[in-house]
């Protein structure tokens, strides 16, 4: 992000509820309460429109970004550290999986937005990257959450273009200990040259010539009509094997197992551990990701 950055948090009085709402509206923030980082811990008590986050210990370099003439916001890298502090707190239900979801969004080309029918909007560029977050952690030293951020970064793939793509990627690539399949080496939204021009594959293993494409609910009628042909196709002229996964495949245990088998067979690999305990853990992870994709972003810290 090229906007002005600083590490100085000015102390002062908060705007009135009406003026603060107007400023927030101008930068596209409409959902209340607003989460406000305060250098002066005495500001903002007794207000229903804000959640106060006092910060009296100083901030890492470049952690605050100018969003408009009157509004500054925390950087994506600092936001990741704030969420990580929650994930590191045993008393907070927000955990490592939630943090990985946040990382997929910050390093992807979509933003969750409950006011949109699909629940998200797409962006031209990611807000940040794994490398930028890692560099920020290096400047942050021993602050709470840095270790948790680094754990999450090992599980995050960049350039996801939707929440569902993130879910599929997590189920396939996260470590076995977290309920994933540990299928490393994937690239998201990988560009492939075809007879019809450049196409993007949602999740690809370029060295193995295998890709996965997610099709949402709006393609349900097509899914029913082409059920026998939906599994394995080749992008015209690319030589890449494509396995299509549908929303129903993620929700139905039998179809999901078939999808997993198709992917691992195409990759020519066998998951190292597929015990009943791991299968149960994966079922819990899948149910959680499919049913709880939105709430994690509701209460930023």
């Amino acid at each position: 992000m090229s906007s002005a950055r600083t590490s100085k948090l000015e102390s002062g009085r908060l705007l009135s509820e009406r003026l603060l709402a107007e400023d927030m509206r101008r930068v596209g923030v409409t959902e209340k309460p607003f989460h406000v980082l305060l250098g002066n811990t005495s500001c903002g008590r007794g207000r229903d429109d804000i959640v106060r986050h006092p910060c009296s210990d100083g901030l890492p370099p470049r952690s605050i970004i100018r969003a408009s003439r009157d509004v500054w916001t925390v950087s994506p890298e600092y936001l990741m550290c704030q969420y990580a502090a929650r994930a590191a707190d045993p008393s907070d239900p927000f955990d490592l999986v939630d943090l990985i979801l946040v990382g997929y969004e910050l390093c992807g080309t979509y933003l969750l937005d409950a006011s949109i029918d699909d629940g998200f909007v797409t962006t031209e560029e990611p807000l940040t990257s794994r490398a930028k977050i890692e560099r920020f952690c290096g400047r942050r030293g021993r602050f709470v959450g840095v270790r948790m951020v680094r754990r999450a970064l090992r599980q995050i793939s960049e350039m996801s273009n939707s929440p569902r793509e993130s879910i599929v990627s997590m189920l396939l690539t996260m470590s076995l200990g977290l309920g994933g399949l540990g299928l490393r080496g994937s690239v998201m939204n990988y560009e492939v040259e075809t007879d019809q021009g450049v196409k993007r594959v949602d999740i690809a293993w370029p060295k193995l010539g295998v890709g996965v494409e997610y099709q949402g609910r709006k393609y349900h009628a097509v899914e029913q009509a082409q059920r026998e042909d939906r599994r394995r196709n080749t992008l015209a002229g690319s030589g890449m094997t494509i396995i299509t996964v549908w929303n129903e495949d993620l929700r139905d245990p039998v179809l999901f197992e078939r999808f997993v088998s198709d992917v691992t067979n195409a990759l020519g690999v066998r998951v190292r551990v597929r015990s009943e305990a791991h299968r149960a853990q994966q079922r819990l992870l899948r149910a959680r990701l499919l049913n709880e994709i939105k709430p994690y972003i509701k209460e930023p810290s």
Side-chain angles (χ1 to χ4, degrees):
M1 301 179 72
S2 59
S3 302
R5 293 197 181 205
T6 184
S7 60
K8 295 181 180 180
L9 189 62
E10 299 293 339
S11 297
R13 297 180 62 82
L14 277 170
L15 295 175
S16 68
E17 183 172 346
R18 180 181 64 82
L19 292 177
L20 180 61
E22 290 177 357
D23 273 352
M24 293 296 99
R25 195 177 302 112
R26 278 195 290 272
V27 294
V29 180
T30 58
E31 187 172 335
K32 295 183 180 180
F34 305 122
H35 290 256
V36 182
L37 195 65
L38 297 171
N40 184 342
T41 58
S42 66
C43 290
R45 294 187 184 280
R47 287 180 53 168
D48 295 332
D49 63 319
I50 65 169
V51 176
R52 301 164 59 258
H53 298 281
C55 180
S56 57
D57 297 332
L59 297 169
R62 297 173 56 80
S63 55
I64 306 294
I65 299 175
R66 183 189 290 276
S68 70
R69 183 174 65 86
D70 301 315
V71 178
W72 292 75
T73 183
V74 297
S75 69
E77 300 82 21
Y78 185 35
L79 181 65
M80 187 73 173
C81 288
Q82 288 181 302
Y83 274 115
R86 287 185 59 186
D89 182 354
S91 66
D92 195 317
F94 187 95
D95 65 7
L96 179 60
V97 172
D98 295 311
L99 184 62
I100 293 168
L101 277 167
V102 171
Y104 263 88
E105 182 182 358
L106 294 177
C107 296
T109 54
Y110 68 93
L111 298 173
L112 296 183
D113 187 339
S115 67
I116 305 297
D117 288 342
D118 289 337
F120 69 98
V121 295
T122 56
T123 61
E124 291 185 3
E125 298 290 338
L127 293 177
T128 187
S129 67
R130 291 168 57 191
K132 290 178 180 178
I133 295 172
E134 179 59 46
R135 285 198 297 271
F136 186 85
C137 286
R139 294 194 292 267
R140 196 160 162 73
R142 296 180 179 274
F143 281 67
V144 174
V146 167
R147 185 177 178 182
M148 187 66 73
V149 169
R150 288 179 170 143
R151 286 184 63 191
L153 288 177
R154 292 194 289 269
Q155 308 293 333
I156 294 168
S157 295
E158 299 175 315
M159 298 303 293
S160 174
N161 196 45
S162 75
R164 274 299 192 270
E165 288 181 20
S166 295
I167 288 175
V168 176
S169 176
M170 290 172 69
L171 291 171
L172 294 176
T173 68
M174 283 205 319
S175 64
L176 297 171
L178 291 173
L181 290 170
L183 301 176
R184 299 296 188 172
S186 65
V187 178
M188 300 199 73
N189 282 286
Y190 179 69
E191 291 188 350
V192 176
E193 290 284 350
T194 75
D195 293 343
Q196 290 79 40
V198 176
K199 304 289 184 182
R200 289 183 179 270
V201 179
D202 293 342
I203 306 168
W205 286 263
K207 293 182 179 180
L208 299 175
V210 176
V212 170
E213 285 279 289
Y214 174 76
Q215 300 290 357
R217 293 177 180 175
K218 65 182 179 180
Y219 298 102
H220 191 70
V222 178
E223 175 187 7
Q224 295 299 325
Q226 301 180 352
R227 193 173 187 86
E228 296 303 319
D229 299 325
R230 71 183 187 169
R231 283 299 175 188
R232 193 169 290 110
N233 306 300
T234 301
L235 285 177
S238 73
M240 178 169 279
T241 298
I242 299 297
I243 299 169
T244 304
V245 58
W246 305 78
N247 183 64
E248 185 183 51
D249 294 324
L250 299 179
R251 293 192 172 278
D252 185 280
V254 174
L255 293 179
F256 181 74
E257 285 296 327
R258 189 181 304 166
F259 164 63
V260 167
S261 178
D262 286 341
V263 173
T264 54
N265 287 340
L267 292 172
V269 300
R270 187 171 68 177
V271 178
R272 185 161 47 88
V273 176
R274 286 281 276 165
S275 64
E276 186 52 40
H278 177 255
R279 290 175 188 273
Q281 187 176 23
Q282 188 172 59
R283 286 194 295 270
L284 288 173
L285 175 65
R286 193 172 76 252
R288 174 179 175 179
L289 292 178
L290 292 174
N291 296 327
E292 301 179 8
I293 184 64
K294 294 179 182 179
Y296 78 91
I297 203 70
K298 296 295 186 182
E299 299 178 2
S301 60

